Amino acid sequence: NPANPVWVDRDALRTDFTLAMSAMYKAEVPLYGDLVQIVSSINGDLIHQSSLDPKVLSLRYGDAQSARLDIERHGAIRLGTPHELSTIRRLFALIGLYPVGYYDLSAAGLPMHATCFRPRSEASLLKNPFRVFTSVLRPELLENQETKELALELLSRRNIFSDQLMQLLDLGDVQSGRLTQEQSREFITEAIKTFGWQSTAAATHNEYSHLRSEHPILADIACFRSSHINHLTPRTLDINVAQDQMKAVGMQVKDRIEGPPARACPILLRQTSFLAIEEPIKFIVEGGSPLLNGSHKARFGEIEERGAAVTPKGRRLYDELLENAMSQARAMAGDGDDLSPEAMDELVSRIFQAYPDDWDELRRNGLIFCTYRCTAKGLNTKLALSKYNLEILVGSGILEAQPITYEDFLPLSAAGIFQSNLGSEGSPKEHVARPDEKGMEEALGAVLEDSDELYTKMQNDSINECSSALCVSID
Ligand code: OOG
Ligand code: NI
């Protein structure tokens, strides 16, 4: 009934979208299907062995009651223009994804910056935590004038959104960001086209080679007719076991797991991937057919293991220890050389012994964010005072703390993931950082949300709920 339309729930639409994306990617990159199988079989085994700390299980897997455990946790795209970015923002808003956080990739020598489109609320994250790392070109960082002009010229010629999709985005705008069932089905079909692979390039082989020689990322961003999703990432309950299994079946795997070392109390996130595969591409030829056969490397498969969200203080300690490990590694390896992956892992583990590895200690030192809930004991206890200190309530078993899952990305890991898939040698070298958050917001046509504010809100909301349930104030 058009007078009384039934709107599709945004979180449910996100799940349909994620499933469609996953199906497309498995069909287009069969090796990715193999990866998903490895991960789900390991997860299936581990979830039945109760050896995992329930807090860790909850961080890595989410709430088994409400979340779809096998659904991907993230993907990544690389865009070329402000118009592409603002259109993607409108597209993602329809499935409940909003830009959170700013990632400056110039520090890693990449002419780009990025944000994470993700759900904001706890309820929404529980239903489906899928998010997309979205980077966009910053032409002003390209030094070579000719290259810059070529990239901009190619990008100005392409349109990665179908007309039907644009109409649906307009409809979404006038319908307060909602779609009907029928519109949703069409939306998924049309949206997925933007992220699929187009085997005919939008550039000649010369143009492609020119951009590639300047920076491989440039060719990937500017020479194609779509903004192909470059990877999807399921979550794993044990990334070390999963990585061993990836190697055992002969996948070409990244040298090292990115992120913090393995810990009893995991923080942030750890990730690894199989390297990008080489895929056939037809390049256009000046003056028409036939097309020229070539190839391109962009798409890979990744896995991630999530830990606790750290506070700004926790983040500073993480960055400090990582920086410390890097500079020791440089000193140990000597000029321009890299330590072996094993030596590097050992060094990082040793240095991270300075990072507390006990949930209570992490919380009391203000290094992680937690949500709180009343225990059964707490609900049955008559409290004498009207005001309590949070730590006293936790210490006496009235309240229980659960670390909040880190829902964002690590810029250094992201840079590592870029590098390992672009054929550049060695680890990312130091570059002068030139962040431009304002420029990113202008291109988006929206402000970036601050992830620390979102975690703080989750933490405070949970304390307020406990306070109401216990009829006491908590400070
Ligand atoms: C994005 C890499 C970032 C991650 O997991 O850190 C990312 C890219 O290569 O486009 O997905
Ligand atoms: Ni990733």
Side-chain angles (χ1 to χ4, degrees):
N1 177 354
N4 197 6
V6 179
W7 306 117
V8 170
D9 171 64
R10 246 175 238 133
D11 296 321
L13 189 55
R14 177 166 68 260
T15 294
D16 290 347
F17 176 88
T18 314
L19 292 172
M21 206 57 148
S22 178
M24 174 197 75
Y25 205 56
K26 282 175 196 160
E28 291 187 355
V29 183
L31 197 59
Y32 174 68
D34 298 350
L35 177 63
V36 170
Q37 264 180 6
I38 291 177
V39 169
S40 67
S41 117
I42 292 172
N43 285 350
D45 289 346
L46 286 173
I47 200 139
H48 295 301
Q49 296 167 10
S50 46
S51 58
L52 271 177
D53 170 3
K55 285 189 170 44
V56 175
L57 186 64
S58 169
L59 282 172
R60 291 195 183 152
Y61 234 177
D63 179 349
Q65 298 305 309
S66 60
R68 300 200 46 150
L69 302 181
D70 49 356
I71 219 161
E72 275 83 353
R73 297 250 350 188
H74 84 258
I77 52 172
R78 302 162 183 162
L79 301 172
T81 65
H83 172 258
E84 289 177 3
L85 182 64
S86 63
T87 307
I88 284 289
R89 170 184 58 77
R90 296 172 67 205
L91 186 165
F92 284 156
L94 288 171
I95 56 172
L97 300 178
Y98 309 94
V100 176
Y102 179 75
Y103 299 85
D104 173 27
L105 298 164
S106 68
L110 296 162
M112 0 194 21
H113 51 187
T115 187
C116 165
F117 280 94
R118 71 161 171 91
R120 292 177 292 202
S121 75
E122 196 176 0
S124 211
L125 282 162
L126 265 181
K127 284 193 199 131
N128 175 354
F130 183 70
R131 78 283 323 273
V132 184
F133 188 88
T134 304
S135 52
V136 64
L137 179 66
R138 292 176 64 189
E140 72 276 16
L141 295 186
L142 297 173
E143 271 151 30
N144 182 321
Q145 201 56 29
E146 202 188 325
T147 310
K148 176 155 81 184
E149 273 162 26
L150 175 57
L152 290 175
E153 146 84 17
L154 288 168
L155 286 167
S156 75
R157 283 208 306 247
R158 80 171 181 179
N159 175 13
I160 59 173
F161 307 108
S162 75
D163 293 345
Q164 292 98 307
L165 179 66
M166 294 311 288
Q167 281 164 18
L168 286 160
L169 296 184
D170 290 343
L171 259 180
D173 284 346
V174 298
Q175 294 174 172
S176 313
R178 300 163 303 182
L179 297 177
T180 65
Q181 198 83 56
E182 199 187 322
Q183 292 164 357
S184 297
R185 269 193 293 273
E186 198 190 340
F187 168 78
I188 301 244
T189 309
E190 295 304 318
I192 290 294
K193 287 182 189 162
T194 297
F195 306 113
W197 185 253
Q198 296 270 349
S199 57
T200 302
T204 65
H205 195 266
N206 268 345
E207 291 166 333
Y208 174 87
S209 306
H210 181 125
L211 293 187
R212 220 199 114 76
S213 66
E214 183 75 19
H215 204 303
I217 200 88
L218 266 185
D220 189 51
I221 295 170
C223 294
F224 298 91
R225 293 168 198 269
S226 64
S227 171
H228 41 249
I229 184 114
N230 65 52
H231 65 286
L232 284 178
T233 308
R235 65 187 106 175
T236 165
L237 284 180
D238 191 324
I239 199 168
N240 292 74
V241 173
Q243 192 190 39
D244 288 347
Q245 188 64 26
M246 287 164 76
K247 286 183 185 153
V249 301
M251 287 182 186
Q252 274 221 312
V253 179
K254 252 174 65 51
D255 279 353
R256 290 190 58 236
I257 294 174
E258 303 270 350
R263 297 160 44 87
C265 302
I267 52 165
L268 298 166
L269 84 154
R270 307 179 70 215
Q271 32 186 195
T272 189
S273 61
F274 67 73
L275 301 186
I277 53 173
E278 183 148 8
E279 302 182 82
I281 282 286
K282 290 194 185 319
F283 289 96
I284 55 175
V285 173
E286 220 104 28
S289 56
L291 299 169
L292 185 74
N293 288 317
S295 68
H296 180 59
K297 252 165 127 174
R299 301 196 294 176
F300 60 100
E302 184 188 44
I303 56 176
E304 63 168 43
E305 184 194 86
R306 293 220 166 227
V310 299
T311 60
K313 180 182 173 193
R315 180 54 190 257
R316 279 194 295 278
L317 180 58
Y318 174 81
D319 287 342
E320 196 183 293
L321 295 181
L322 200 63
E323 182 47 48
N324 192 341
M326 303 281 226
S327 68
Q328 284 201 35
R330 278 191 294 270
M332 282 160 74
D335 258 0
D337 249 344
D338 287 325
L339 280 190
S340 72
E342 296 76 22
M344 189 67 195
D345 282 344
E346 202 193 291
L347 174 68
V348 172
S349 296
R350 181 153 50 74
I351 288 178
F352 268 79
Q353 280 167 11
Y355 209 112
D357 199 10
D358 169 88
W359 290 127
D360 280 326
E361 199 181 341
L362 286 162
R363 193 191 72 251
R364 281 199 303 261
N365 288 335
L367 295 168
I368 57 168
F369 288 108
C370 288
T371 52
Y372 296 84
R373 62 176 171 225
C374 302
T375 60
K377 174 187 165 190
L379 290 169
N380 288 318
T381 306
K382 284 256 173 299
L383 295 172
L385 306 175
S386 62
K387 191 173 183 176
Y388 285 89
N389 172 271
L390 183 70
E391 280 311 315
I392 303 266
L393 292 177
V394 175
S396 53
I398 307 272
L399 294 187
E400 185 176 52
Q402 166 65 37
I404 297 177
T405 302
Y406 184 61
E407 300 291 352
D408 297 279
F409 291 91
L410 292 176
L412 263 183
S413 293
I417 303 255
F418 271 109
Q419 304 295 357
S420 67
N421 283 294
L422 291 168
S424 353
E425 275 97 52
S427 51
K429 301 286 178 279
E430 303 271 344
H431 286 86
V432 186
R434 290 171 60 187
D436 181 17
E437 212 169 320
K438 202 106 209 70
M440 168 68 110
E441 290 183 334
E442 265 158 36
L444 264 175
V447 288
L448 295 165
E449 300 212 33
D450 176 357
S451 60
D452 288 324
E453 278 172 22
L454 296 176
Y455 295 123
T456 304
K457 180 175 179 336
M458 276 181 171
Q459 179 166 290
N460 290 343
D461 286 353
S462 76
I463 297 174
N464 289 337
E465 276 172 39
C466 293
S467 169
S468 310
L470 297 172
C471 299
V472 296
S473 70
I474 302 174
D475 64 5

